[in-house]
Structure formats: structure tokens, C-alpha cells
């Protein structure tokens, strides 16, 4: 391991731990400011706020490095996936057209949404002819 990588890794870990500490303190302060007066629940400590942050993370997004999520991602974008192979063989223009079509912009940009293909100035569409 080179020294530059070790230094950046150490700094990254410090920043991560500092962020956890700041968010836990913020959660504790907000809880203690809002919840006891509104709901009559007790105030919480720093460690309880940290635990609450972990609990919310688990409940809202699952555990990090979730095995099922990793397997699902591998199945969708694995090397033997025909959709991935087709995407990789597309030109940039074909990819852009595919994305626009999937987002619903294909008809608009090719004039179909504006009614092109009908005679210009044809205001009789939908009116009875006399």
C-alpha cells in the first residue's frame, strides 16, 4: 500500500466519522428540542441518537452491502446479460434515441405530437363538413 493511498484513506475515515458525529448530534438536538414538548417523550442521549440514526438507515434503505441487492445488480448488468450486450453495441446516437423514446420524447421530437403528417391549415379535423 502506498503512502498517498493510506493518507487519503485515513482522511476519508476521519471525515466519515466526523459526519456521523455531526448528524448524530443534530438528531439528538432536534429530538430533544421537538419531541419532548410535542409528544411528551423523554429526551435522548448522544448514543441513543446514534442508534436512532442507524435504525432509520436500516429501515429506510436496508443494510449496506445488501446481498440481495448485490445479486440483483449482478444479474441485471452481468457479463452474460443480452440487454447489456445490446446497449454496449449501440452507437451513441442509437443510445440517445433509445433513452429519448423510453422517456416519451420520441414522438414529440419527430413531429408526431405536433400533428405533422396532416395537411397544414387543415382546421376541419373534428368539425362536421357542410
Amino acid at each position: 500500500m502506498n503512502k498517498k493511498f493510506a493518507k487519503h484513506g485515513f482522511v476519508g475515515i476521519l471525515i466519515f466519522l466526523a459526519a456521523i458525529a455531526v448528524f448524530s448530534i443534530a438528531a439528538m438536538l432536534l429530538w430533544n428540542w421537538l419531541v419532548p414538548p410535542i409528544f411528551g417523550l423523554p429526551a435522548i442521549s448522544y448514543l441513543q441518537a446514534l442508534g436512532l440514526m442507524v435504525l432509520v438507515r436500516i429501515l429506510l434503505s436496508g443494510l449496506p452491502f445488501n446481498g440481495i441487492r448485490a445479486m440483483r445488480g449482478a444479474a441485471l448488468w452481468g457479463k452474460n446479460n443480452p440487454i447489456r450486450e445490446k446497449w454496449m453495441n449501440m452507437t451513441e446516437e442509437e443510445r440517445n434515441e433509445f433513452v429519448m423514446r423510453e422517456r416519451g420524447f420520441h414522438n414529440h421530437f419527430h413531429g408526431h405530437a405536433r400533428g405533422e403528417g396532416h395537411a397544414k391549415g387543415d382546421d376541419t379535423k373534428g368539425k362536421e363538413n357542410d
Side-chain angles (χ1 to χ4, degrees):
M1 178 177 349
N2 68 32
K3 292 179 183 179
K4 187 175 185 180
F5 178 75
K7 182 180 177 183
H8 288 308
F10 181 70
V11 171
I13 290 171
L14 285 178
I15 291 172
F16 177 73
L17 292 175
I20 289 174
V22 167
F23 284 118
S24 295
I25 290 170
M28 180 187 72
L29 292 174
L30 284 170
W31 178 283
N32 291 339
W33 177 49
L34 294 172
V35 174
I38 295 172
F39 300 108
L41 295 173
I44 61 173
S45 69
Y46 173 77
L47 289 178
Q48 289 171 325
L50 179 63
L52 188 61
M53 298 286 291
V54 171
L55 178 64
V56 168
R57 167 78 169 117
I58 291 170
L59 292 176
L60 293 181
S61 61
L63 293 171
F65 308 112
N66 188 338
I68 295 171
R69 189 181 319 163
M71 288 187 298
R72 184 175 57 215
L76 290 175
W77 291 103
K79 291 183 179 180
N80 296 328
N81 186 315
I83 296 171
R84 181 182 185 274
E85 290 176 16
K86 184 175 180 180
W87 178 264
M88 296 306 288
N89 292 328
M90 286 183 181
T91 65
E92 189 67 29
E93 186 176 296
E94 290 172 330
R95 288 179 184 176
N96 289 338
E97 185 177 330
F98 174 79
V99 169
M100 295 302 260
R101 187 174 57 243
E102 290 301 311
R103 290 183 179 168
F105 293 117
H106 180 74
N107 291 337
H108 178 73
F109 286 121
H110 285 90
H112 301 293
R114 292 188 303 259
E116 286 183 13
H118 299 287
K120 291 188 178 187
D122 185 12
D123 293 333
T124 60
K125 184 178 179 184
K127 295 182 181 178
E128 292 182 25
N129 291 334
D130 292 303

